[in-house]
Amino acid sequence: MMETQALDFPKINAVLRTNGTGEVTINGTSHAIEAADEAAVLSDALRIITETAAQLGRPVRVSTTDPDGQGLIIVSPEGVVSEAAPIKPTPRREQDPLPVTAAPTLETAKATTTAAPAPTPVSVPDDSPAEEVPAHPADAAPVTFSAAVTAAPAQGPAPAATAAAVEPATRRSLKDTSFLISAPVLQPATRGWRGVLSRLGFRMDPSPEELAEREDIRTVSQHWPGPRTIAVVNRKGGANKTPTVVMLSAILARYSGAATVAWDNNESQGTLGWRTEKGGHNNSVLDLIDSSQALLSPSAQAAEIAQFVHHQTSDKFDVLRSDENEEGDHEVTAEEVDIAHQVLTRYYRLIVMDSGNTARAANWRRMIHHTNQLVVPVTAIEDRAEAARLTLQTLESRGGHDAELARNAVVIVSESTDAKRSMSGDALKRAKDEARRIADGFTPHVRAVVRIPYDPALVNGPIRYDALQPATKRAWLAAAAAVAKGF
């Protein structure tokens, strides 16, 4: 019955070698096996095949190659193995079976009674060391897939009533069977030498590093129910807040495709507008607040927000600038933060907020009220790290929502300093060592700590994700994934 349920998909080939190695190939994906002995290789091969059958919820057919030749077996989700249409030659141990003792006939009985008695063995002293008898004789049967076939009673013509009574017990419900593979198909390697071989036609599994990168990409590509707000804070200037806002916004927007806005919530004039692309207008957060009633009206259309934000054409997110009027003296209030946040959550799924350096400011504290995930950037300078620690300590001392944000915070340590020039040699080594020390110090107190290598593309001028070095991109992807895990 089990054999009739097995299909030719997936195509599975299993090889068992006498040198303690084996291989299971499932739809072209190879799983090499090495073990202490042939029995362990057989066990590992059957485990891999059983897991595949369990994922499919039905038995699978397997083409086998072992010291006995080739054959076919059926493996059920429960690990039961049966032989199906064997094509291998009959093993020698089956061709020359051991004699089977039968009931003696009259002639054999007479022969037995007249035969001379067997001589009694005599023990002869031997001073030579006793020869150790091997546990497995040299001519022992090799380990093969047929050895794993579950023993079944001899089949013979059974009464029709008995067969009819047994069949309903072995038949499975269609509700419990599916032809869809629940587990995702592992894509072949695309990086390094494994990727080169895959492109040449030799399908290779990805390395652990590539699998980790794929998982980070999957994490930042999610869509969450309802908007999410990220606050990037450090009460000390020059702590890399603005580059952190730009990088997180770019990665989340690029991979998730969700509408993302970076908001400069500086109480007066921030620098986010200086480090990003400017649109065809000069509007800022104050203009958005002034037009909030129209933007929140039922008749407002999604495209109307474009006249207040500045789109980043390559990194796919928008920027809401702070007030850049040199003659102005307006400071954003808590009520205005509420209004702007209400407007932005109407038009965007992800809001990444830059902040000023005053944790006591009304707009800073109101930003924390709306925050879902706290991010604390730090550079490789001790006073920046101390300012970050005090920022977290202040939030923790307030209790409630603020304290929970501090405990769940992500600290991003950049291997850079305040120097507005490229770093190299001893300066770069010192920055790396200091960044490592700072990261180790924060690790016990927050949810995650990520280190970012120094990259000259982040020092001055507009920030573009594509301008970063590969190692920097990978580090920022890991940082964005750590942030997204907190949503």
Side-chain angles (χ1 to χ4, degrees):
M1 189 67 172
M2 185 170 64
E3 180 179 347
T4 63
Q5 294 174 346
L7 303 177
D8 290 332
F9 178 85
K11 183 176 179 59
I12 303 178
N13 295 287
V15 179
L16 181 61
R17 307 183 183 95
T18 57
N19 62 353
T21 65
E23 182 180 13
V24 175
T25 304
I26 304 174
N27 281 342
T29 300
S30 174
H31 303 270
I33 303 173
E34 293 185 8
D37 52 40
E38 297 173 44
V41 175
L42 174 62
S43 177
D44 284 350
L46 292 176
R47 174 184 56 79
I48 295 172
I49 298 169
T50 301
E51 290 175 355
T52 302
Q55 291 177 355
L56 293 170
R58 59 171 174 80
V60 294
R61 192 190 314 271
V62 184
S63 299
T64 63
T65 303
D66 55 32
D68 272 357
Q70 295 181 336
L72 288 174
I73 60 173
I74 302 294
V75 181
S76 76
E78 296 78 22
V80 178
V81 182
S82 64
E83 202 161 10
I87 60 174
K88 65 174 70 175
T90 303
R92 184 172 58 186
R93 63 178 182 276
E94 296 180 6
Q95 294 173 352
D96 301 321
L98 294 176
V100 180
T101 303
T105 62
L106 180 60
E107 289 75 7
T108 57
K110 291 179 181 180
T112 303
T113 57
T114 59
T120 304
V122 179
S123 300
V124 179
D126 187 1
D127 295 334
S128 61
E131 182 179 356
E132 182 178 353
V133 179
H136 301 282
D139 59 348
V143 177
T144 63
F145 284 99
S146 62
V149 173
T150 304
Q155 294 182 355
T162 303
V166 173
E167 186 175 356
T170 59
R171 179 172 296 175
R172 300 178 63 185
S173 170
L174 289 174
K175 293 181 179 180
D176 300 329
T177 302
S178 174
F179 298 103
L180 300 177
I181 300 177
S182 57
V185 177
L186 181 64
Q187 299 298 320
T190 60
R191 304 291 177 85
W193 63 269
R194 297 169 182 263
V196 173
L197 290 178
S198 292
R199 287 189 289 273
L200 291 175
F202 302 94
R203 185 184 179 93
M204 300 292 295
D205 288 346
S207 65
E209 292 77 11
E210 185 173 354
L211 288 175
E213 182 176 359
R214 291 182 183 183
E215 178 60 22
D216 285 346
I217 291 174
R218 187 196 68 81
T219 300
V220 300
S221 301
Q222 301 291 322
H223 278 196
W224 299 270
R228 294 292 186 270
T229 300
I230 304 167
V232 179
V233 301
N234 189 320
R235 63 172 62 178
K236 183 72 174 176
N240 227 36
K241 291 193 295 290
T242 297
T244 299
V245 169
V246 175
M247 285 295 96
L248 293 180
S249 300
I251 292 171
L252 292 170
R254 278 170 166 254
Y255 284 104
S256 73
T260 304
V261 62
W263 172 10
D264 193 343
N265 188 44
N266 198 292
E267 57 270 15
S268 56
Q269 186 177 23
T271 60
L272 181 60
W274 302 349
R275 306 298 305 274
T276 54
E277 187 177 349
K278 184 179 182 298
H281 57 81
N282 296 315
N283 289 336
S284 69
V285 62
L286 297 184
D287 300 292
L288 179 138
I289 293 170
D290 290 341
S291 303
S292 59
Q293 187 172 356
L295 291 170
L296 292 173
S297 68
S299 60
Q301 297 179 338
E304 294 180 20
I305 194 68
Q307 58 186 315
F308 302 99
V309 295
H310 303 261
H311 184 63
Q312 307 303 294
T313 54
S314 61
D315 287 331
K316 311 305 179 188
F317 68 96
D318 294 341
V319 172
L320 180 61
R321 295 186 169 196
S322 61
D323 179 24
E324 298 180 359
N325 184 4
E326 295 290 349
E327 299 178 358
D329 56 359
H330 179 82
E331 291 189 2
V332 178
T333 66
E335 182 182 1
E336 288 172 332
V337 171
D338 288 341
I339 295 173
H341 190 267
Q342 184 180 6
V343 172
L344 294 180
T345 54
R346 170 82 175 270
Y347 292 88
Y348 296 95
R349 297 173 65 97
L350 295 173
I351 303 171
V352 186
M353 299 182 69
D354 201 351
S355 61
N357 304 326
T358 306
R360 298 177 180 177
N363 69 315
W364 197 99
R365 299 191 66 159
R366 199 58 184 169
M367 170 189 66
I368 295 298
H369 172 78
H370 292 291
T371 297
N372 301 111
Q373 175 63 56
L374 192 73
V375 177
V376 183
V378 180
T379 55
I381 302 178
E382 60 182 14
D383 65 342
R384 305 303 191 270
E386 183 64 11
R389 184 191 69 81
L390 292 174
T391 302
L392 290 170
Q393 179 181 325
T394 298
L395 292 171
E396 192 172 40
S397 66
R398 293 175 180 172
H401 173 68
D402 293 12
E404 182 61 26
L405 287 176
R407 287 190 291 268
N408 196 47
V410 174
V411 174
I412 300 177
V413 184
S414 296
E415 297 173 355
S416 61
T417 65
D418 281 340
K420 300 298 183 182
R421 62 181 183 276
S422 298
M423 294 175 59
S424 61
D426 292 340
L428 184 57
K429 183 179 183 301
R430 287 194 299 271
K432 284 180 174 291
D433 293 341
E434 183 66 6
R436 185 181 300 108
R437 182 184 73 85
I438 292 171
D440 292 342
F442 276 109
T443 298
H445 306 290
V446 294
R447 180 170 60 82
V449 179
V450 183
R451 287 169 50 196
I452 306 294
Y454 170 77
D455 196 314
L458 296 174
V459 175
N460 286 310
I463 301 172
R464 300 289 185 272
Y465 178 76
D466 287 334
L468 301 181
Q469 298 172 357
T472 313
K473 289 182 178 180
R474 179 66 186 95
W476 277 111
L477 174 61
V483 171
K485 290 176 182 176
F487 290 161

